[in-house]
Tab-separated table of all heavy atoms in Angstrom:
chain	number	residue	atom	x	y	z
L	15	VAL	N	6.601	-7.519	-1.696
L	15	VAL	CA	5.140	-7.336	-1.634
L	15	VAL	C	4.479	-7.599	-2.993
L	15	VAL	O	3.245	-7.804	-3.011
L	15	VAL	CB	4.569	-6.139	-0.928
L	15	VAL	CG1	5.235	-5.964	0.367
L	15	VAL	CG2	4.793	-4.890	-1.891
L	16	LYS	N	5.206	-7.569	-4.047
L	16	LYS	CA	4.594	-7.690	-5.335
L	16	LYS	C	3.739	-8.997	-5.509
L	16	LYS	O	4.232	-9.963	-5.099
L	16	LYS	CB	5.568	-7.571	-6.460
L	16	LYS	CG	5.060	-7.274	-7.851
L	16	LYS	CD	6.044	-6.840	-8.795
L	16	LYS	CE	5.377	-6.456	-10.132
L	16	LYS	NZ	6.485	-5.867	-11.092
L	17	GLY	N	2.550	-8.917	-6.002
L	17	GLY	CA	1.809	-10.023	-6.129
L	17	GLY	C	0.760	-10.251	-4.898
L	17	GLY	O	-0.129	-11.167	-5.055
L	18	ARG	N	1.131	-9.741	-3.745
L	18	ARG	CA	0.459	-9.869	-2.628
L	18	ARG	C	-0.376	-8.569	-2.200
L	18	ARG	O	-1.440	-8.704	-1.653
L	18	ARG	CB	1.227	-10.282	-1.371
L	18	ARG	CG	1.903	-11.639	-1.649
L	18	ARG	CD	2.710	-12.183	-0.386
L	18	ARG	NE	3.678	-11.223	-0.006
L	18	ARG	CZ	3.829	-10.538	1.149
L	18	ARG	NH1	2.824	-10.835	2.050
L	18	ARG	NH2	4.820	-9.846	1.516
L	19	PHE	N	0.255	-7.444	-2.501
L	19	PHE	CA	-0.387	-6.244	-2.023
L	19	PHE	C	-0.742	-5.495	-3.280
L	19	PHE	O	-0.221	-5.497	-4.418
L	19	PHE	CB	0.661	-5.257	-1.296
L	19	PHE	CG	1.123	-5.757	0.006
L	19	PHE	CD1	0.734	-6.921	0.448
L	19	PHE	CD2	1.897	-4.885	0.854
L	19	PHE	CE1	1.210	-7.420	1.844
L	19	PHE	CE2	2.271	-5.294	2.040
L	19	PHE	CZ	1.989	-6.544	2.553
L	20	THR	N	-1.862	-4.691	-3.132
L	20	THR	CA	-2.451	-3.862	-4.258
L	20	THR	C	-2.726	-2.458	-3.805
L	20	THR	O	-3.413	-2.300	-2.708
L	20	THR	CB	-3.752	-4.367	-4.834
L	20	THR	OG1	-3.538	-5.836	-5.247
L	20	THR	CG2	-4.124	-3.630	-6.073
L	21	ILE	N	-2.191	-1.466	-4.368
L	21	ILE	CA	-2.423	-0.003	-4.078
L	21	ILE	C	-3.440	0.402	-5.058
L	21	ILE	O	-3.554	0.127	-6.280
L	21	ILE	CB	-1.148	0.820	-4.063
L	21	ILE	CG1	-1.453	2.131	-3.485
L	21	ILE	CG2	-0.587	0.849	-5.496
L	21	ILE	CD1	-0.125	2.924	-3.318
L	22	SER	N	-4.354	1.404	-4.418
L	22	SER	CA	-5.433	1.999	-5.225
L	22	SER	C	-5.679	3.339	-4.526
L	22	SER	O	-5.277	3.593	-3.523
L	22	SER	CB	-6.655	1.127	-5.320
L	22	SER	OG	-7.240	0.833	-4.001
L	23	ARG	N	-6.431	4.120	-5.288
L	23	ARG	CA	-6.759	5.369	-4.848
L	23	ARG	C	-8.159	5.786	-5.264
L	23	ARG	O	-8.627	5.462	-6.434
L	23	ARG	CB	-5.788	6.449	-5.165
L	23	ARG	CG	-5.561	6.785	-6.608
L	23	ARG	CD	-4.343	7.551	-6.907
L	23	ARG	NE	-4.450	8.973	-6.397
L	23	ARG	CZ	-3.482	9.777	-6.287
L	23	ARG	NH1	-2.198	9.396	-6.570
L	23	ARG	NH2	-3.675	10.932	-5.768
L	24	ASP	N	-8.867	6.727	-4.518
L	24	ASP	CA	-10.111	7.259	-4.833
L	24	ASP	C	-9.951	8.737	-4.581
L	24	ASP	O	-10.021	9.150	-3.495
L	24	ASP	CB	-11.247	6.712	-3.934
L	24	ASP	CG	-12.601	7.105	-4.376
L	24	ASP	OD1	-12.672	8.263	-4.961
L	24	ASP	OD2	-13.532	6.420	-4.160
L	25	ASN	N	-9.657	9.423	-5.771
L	25	ASN	CA	-9.406	10.806	-5.590
L	25	ASN	C	-10.623	11.621	-5.116
L	25	ASN	O	-10.477	12.670	-4.318
L	25	ASN	CB	-8.999	11.489	-6.930
L	25	ASN	CG	-7.605	10.881	-7.236
L	25	ASN	OD1	-6.727	10.595	-6.414
L	25	ASN	ND2	-7.267	10.844	-8.643
L	26	ALA	N	-11.759	11.259	-5.426
L	26	ALA	CA	-13.076	11.818	-5.002
L	26	ALA	C	-13.216	11.784	-3.509
L	26	ALA	O	-13.656	12.815	-2.848
L	26	ALA	CB	-14.273	11.301	-5.699
L	27	LYS	N	-12.718	10.670	-2.979
L	27	LYS	CA	-12.794	10.525	-1.442
L	27	LYS	C	-11.487	10.845	-0.750
L	27	LYS	O	-11.383	10.823	0.442
L	27	LYS	CB	-13.100	9.071	-1.077
L	27	LYS	CG	-14.379	8.575	-1.618
L	27	LYS	CD	-14.671	7.216	-1.163
L	27	LYS	CE	-15.964	6.619	-1.557
L	27	LYS	NZ	-16.261	5.251	-1.175
L	28	LYS	N	-10.473	11.441	-1.534
L	28	LYS	CA	-9.215	11.860	-1.036
L	28	LYS	C	-8.533	10.710	-0.123
L	28	LYS	O	-8.031	10.988	0.907
L	28	LYS	CB	-9.304	13.112	-0.187
L	28	LYS	CG	-9.821	14.353	-1.051
L	28	LYS	CD	-9.933	15.575	-0.135
L	28	LYS	CE	-10.411	16.718	-1.028
L	28	LYS	NZ	-10.363	18.044	-0.107
L	29	THR	N	-8.597	9.551	-0.690
L	29	THR	CA	-8.169	8.314	0.016
L	29	THR	C	-7.338	7.480	-0.740
L	29	THR	O	-7.680	7.257	-1.975
L	29	THR	CB	-9.360	7.687	0.685
L	29	THR	OG1	-10.179	8.481	1.575
L	29	THR	CG2	-8.916	6.472	1.393
L	30	VAL	N	-6.315	6.891	-0.329
L	30	VAL	CA	-5.546	5.850	-0.923
L	30	VAL	C	-5.499	4.639	-0.076
L	30	VAL	O	-5.663	4.684	1.180
L	30	VAL	CB	-4.034	6.361	-1.011
L	30	VAL	CG1	-3.374	6.622	0.178
L	30	VAL	CG2	-3.302	5.302	-1.952
L	31	TYR	N	-5.551	3.466	-0.689
L	31	TYR	CA	-5.660	2.205	0.032
L	31	TYR	C	-4.510	1.271	-0.205
L	31	TYR	O	-3.852	1.437	-1.268
L	31	TYR	CB	-6.974	1.427	-0.563
L	31	TYR	CG	-8.232	2.375	-0.277
L	31	TYR	CD1	-8.666	3.052	-1.490
L	31	TYR	CD2	-8.951	2.314	0.867
L	31	TYR	CE1	-9.854	3.783	-1.366
L	31	TYR	CE2	-10.100	3.048	0.855
L	31	TYR	CZ	-10.578	3.784	-0.226
L	31	TYR	OH	-11.688	4.616	-0.035
L	32	LEU	N	-4.217	0.326	0.551
L	32	LEU	CA	-3.341	-0.724	0.430
L	32	LEU	C	-4.057	-2.025	0.826
L	32	LEU	O	-4.217	-2.293	2.017
L	32	LEU	CB	-2.061	-0.395	1.149
L	32	LEU	CG	-0.948	-1.558	0.961
L	32	LEU	CD1	-0.357	-1.370	-0.506
L	32	LEU	CD2	0.213	-1.370	1.954
L	33	GLN	N	-4.358	-2.824	-0.130
L	33	GLN	CA	-4.979	-4.081	0.174
L	33	GLN	C	-3.685	-5.103	0.280
L	33	GLN	O	-2.946	-5.305	-0.597
L	33	GLN	CB	-5.839	-4.613	-1.023
L	33	GLN	CG	-6.480	-5.930	-0.812
L	33	GLN	CD	-7.360	-6.034	0.340
L	33	GLN	OE1	-8.252	-5.171	0.555
L	33	GLN	NE2	-7.303	-7.080	1.162
L	34	MET	N	-3.652	-5.735	1.418
L	34	MET	CA	-2.580	-6.578	1.778
L	34	MET	C	-3.277	-8.078	1.993
L	34	MET	O	-4.020	-8.346	2.927
L	34	MET	CB	-1.957	-6.161	3.115
L	34	MET	CG	-1.401	-4.793	3.037
L	34	MET	SD	-0.534	-4.230	4.508
L	34	MET	CE	-1.644	-4.416	5.729
L	35	ASN	N	-2.787	-8.981	1.042
L	35	ASN	CA	-3.144	-10.369	1.128
L	35	ASN	C	-2.021	-11.308	1.320
L	35	ASN	O	-0.825	-10.865	1.252
L	35	ASN	CB	-3.905	-10.700	-0.165
L	35	ASN	CG	-5.142	-9.929	-0.565
L	35	ASN	OD1	-5.854	-9.569	0.388
L	35	ASN	ND2	-5.447	-9.719	-1.804
L	36	SER	N	-2.350	-12.407	1.722
L	36	SER	CA	-1.280	-13.445	2.037
L	36	SER	C	-0.130	-12.954	2.945
L	36	SER	O	1.026	-13.017	2.625
L	36	SER	CB	-0.695	-14.018	0.690
L	36	SER	OG	-1.661	-14.512	-0.171
L	37	LEU	N	-0.530	-12.295	4.012
L	37	LEU	CA	0.354	-11.716	4.911
L	37	LEU	C	1.244	-12.753	5.471
L	37	LEU	O	0.909	-13.812	5.878
L	37	LEU	CB	-0.436	-10.887	5.836
L	37	LEU	CG	-0.964	-9.494	5.317
L	37	LEU	CD1	-2.056	-9.126	6.356
L	37	LEU	CD2	0.141	-8.476	5.234
L	38	LYS	N	2.567	-12.208	5.760
L	38	LYS	CA	3.613	-12.959	6.325
L	38	LYS	C	4.078	-12.337	7.606
L	38	LYS	O	4.021	-11.072	7.715
L	38	LYS	CB	4.780	-13.140	5.397
L	38	LYS	CG	4.311	-13.774	3.914
L	38	LYS	CD	5.551	-13.775	3.091
L	38	LYS	CE	5.265	-14.302	1.707
L	38	LYS	NZ	6.393	-14.172	0.770
L	39	PRO	N	4.687	-13.029	8.560
L	39	PRO	CA	5.190	-12.460	9.739
L	39	PRO	C	6.211	-11.339	9.403
L	39	PRO	O	6.183	-10.316	10.130
L	39	PRO	CB	5.854	-13.638	10.421
L	39	PRO	CG	5.035	-14.872	9.985
L	39	PRO	CD	4.777	-14.515	8.603
L	40	GLU	N	6.936	-11.460	8.314
L	40	GLU	CA	7.886	-10.397	8.023
L	40	GLU	C	7.222	-9.238	7.495
L	40	GLU	O	7.904	-8.163	7.350
L	40	GLU	CB	8.960	-10.871	6.957
L	40	GLU	CG	8.294	-11.512	5.735
L	40	GLU	CD	8.294	-13.041	5.843
L	40	GLU	OE1	7.888	-13.582	6.973
L	40	GLU	OE2	8.669	-13.769	4.827
L	41	ASP	N	5.927	-9.189	7.338
L	41	ASP	CA	5.236	-7.984	6.985
L	41	ASP	C	4.858	-7.048	8.144
L	41	ASP	O	4.413	-5.973	8.094
L	41	ASP	CB	3.925	-8.281	6.176
L	41	ASP	CG	4.111	-8.911	4.870
L	41	ASP	OD1	5.023	-8.545	4.165
L	41	ASP	OD2	3.311	-9.853	4.617
L	42	THR	N	5.117	-7.730	9.386
L	42	THR	CA	4.984	-6.855	10.710
L	42	THR	C	5.787	-5.644	10.572
L	42	THR	O	6.994	-5.689	10.485
L	42	THR	CB	5.291	-7.661	11.850
L	42	THR	OG1	4.389	-8.867	11.909
L	42	THR	CG2	5.167	-6.894	13.156
L	43	ALA	N	5.145	-4.517	10.767
L	43	ALA	CA	5.724	-3.178	10.713
L	43	ALA	C	4.698	-2.067	11.018
L	43	ALA	O	3.474	-2.392	11.005
L	43	ALA	CB	6.352	-2.894	9.250
L	44	VAL	N	5.187	-0.904	11.154
L	44	VAL	CA	4.414	0.337	11.119
L	44	VAL	C	4.322	0.798	9.657
L	44	VAL	O	5.361	0.896	8.937
L	44	VAL	CB	4.921	1.447	11.886
L	44	VAL	CG1	4.116	2.689	11.916
L	44	VAL	CG2	4.948	1.002	13.506
L	45	TYR	N	3.126	0.950	9.179
L	45	TYR	CA	2.945	1.327	7.764
L	45	TYR	C	2.522	2.825	7.730
L	45	TYR	O	1.639	3.192	8.342
L	45	TYR	CB	1.815	0.527	7.127
L	45	TYR	CG	2.277	-0.830	6.728
L	45	TYR	CD1	2.573	-1.829	7.882
L	45	TYR	CD2	2.535	-1.266	5.510
L	45	TYR	CE1	2.984	-3.129	7.477
L	45	TYR	CE2	2.820	-2.551	5.218
L	45	TYR	CZ	3.124	-3.378	6.147
L	45	TYR	OH	3.586	-4.678	5.839
L	46	TYR	N	3.294	3.514	6.828
L	46	TYR	CA	3.107	4.977	6.757
L	46	TYR	C	2.566	5.401	5.325
L	46	TYR	O	3.081	4.852	4.361
L	46	TYR	CB	4.490	5.641	6.967
L	46	TYR	CG	5.166	5.430	8.263
L	46	TYR	CD1	5.900	4.336	8.509
L	46	TYR	CD2	4.831	6.307	9.379
L	46	TYR	CE1	6.573	4.188	9.706
L	46	TYR	CE2	5.552	6.126	10.586
L	46	TYR	CZ	6.335	4.996	10.733
L	46	TYR	OH	6.970	4.832	12.031
L	47	CYS	N	1.589	6.212	5.389
L	47	CYS	CA	1.120	6.827	4.099
L	47	CYS	C	2.012	7.894	3.677
L	47	CYS	O	2.623	8.532	4.547
L	47	CYS	CB	-0.302	7.254	4.269
L	47	CYS	SG	-1.077	7.967	2.815
L	48	ALA	N	2.180	8.072	2.552
L	48	ALA	CA	3.024	9.174	1.961
L	48	ALA	C	2.513	9.840	0.650
L	48	ALA	O	1.878	9.221	-0.050
L	48	ALA	CB	4.344	8.641	1.559
L	49	ALA	N	2.662	11.117	0.541
L	49	ALA	CA	2.303	11.874	-0.621
L	49	ALA	C	3.498	12.606	-1.160
L	49	ALA	O	4.259	13.194	-0.445
L	49	ALA	CB	1.284	12.882	-0.193
L	50	GLY	N	3.577	12.617	-2.502
L	50	GLY	CA	4.680	13.326	-3.167
L	50	GLY	C	6.006	12.442	-3.268
L	50	GLY	O	7.203	12.880	-3.081
L	51	LEU	N	5.812	11.188	-3.652
L	51	LEU	CA	6.856	10.218	-3.912
L	51	LEU	C	7.000	9.933	-5.364
L	51	LEU	O	6.065	10.427	-6.146
L	51	LEU	CB	6.811	9.006	-3.020
L	51	LEU	CG	5.651	8.078	-3.077
L	51	LEU	CD1	6.009	6.780	-2.474
L	51	LEU	CD2	4.353	8.697	-2.571
L	52	THR	N	7.799	9.056	-5.708
L	52	THR	CA	7.901	8.586	-7.096
L	52	THR	C	7.467	7.083	-7.279
L	52	THR	O	7.783	6.214	-6.370
L	52	THR	CB	9.309	8.795	-7.646
L	52	THR	OG1	9.411	8.355	-8.902
L	52	THR	CG2	10.396	8.052	-6.795
L	53	VAL	N	6.977	6.785	-8.389
L	53	VAL	CA	6.702	5.406	-8.794
L	53	VAL	C	7.879	4.735	-9.423
L	53	VAL	O	7.723	3.465	-9.759
L	53	VAL	CB	5.416	5.237	-9.694
L	53	VAL	CG1	4.138	5.907	-8.970
L	53	VAL	CG2	5.613	6.078	-11.065
L	54	HIS	N	8.865	5.516	-9.832
L	54	HIS	CA	9.892	4.921	-10.703
L	54	HIS	C	11.008	4.239	-10.080
L	54	HIS	O	11.663	3.448	-10.622
L	54	HIS	CB	10.454	6.200	-11.571
L	54	HIS	CG	9.371	6.757	-12.425
L	54	HIS	ND1	8.650	6.032	-13.391
L	54	HIS	CD2	9.028	8.078	-12.432
L	54	HIS	CE1	7.823	6.855	-13.907
L	54	HIS	NE2	8.048	8.182	-13.368
L	55	THR	N	11.268	4.564	-8.746
L	55	THR	CA	12.369	3.921	-7.970
L	55	THR	C	11.905	3.699	-6.482
L	55	THR	O	10.883	4.026	-6.108
L	55	THR	CB	13.508	4.879	-7.975
L	55	THR	OG1	13.331	5.996	-7.096
L	55	THR	CG2	13.945	5.422	-9.398
């Protein structure tokens, strides 16, 4: 998804976003929000 999706967050609104551009059929899925994961792996 790199180069097509952008993650952002607004802590004041307690909200995280995922902007998905240039979507492909293989992006079809159930998308789950998660808290307490790592950015490193």
Side-chain angles (χ1 to χ4, degrees):
V15 306
K16 195 168 187 176
R18 299 188 297 121
F19 292 10
T20 302
I21 189 170
S22 61
R23 62 191 293 166
D24 186 333
N25 291 332
K27 296 182 178 180
K28 298 182 178 181
T29 302
V30 62
Y31 305 95
L32 185 68
Q33 178 67 45
M34 305 185 295
N35 298 327
S36 301
L37 283 162
K38 305 174 180 179
E40 51 262 46
D41 295 319
T42 296
V44 177
Y45 284 72
Y46 300 89
C47 183
L51 63 165
T52 179
V53 299
H54 301 300
T55 72

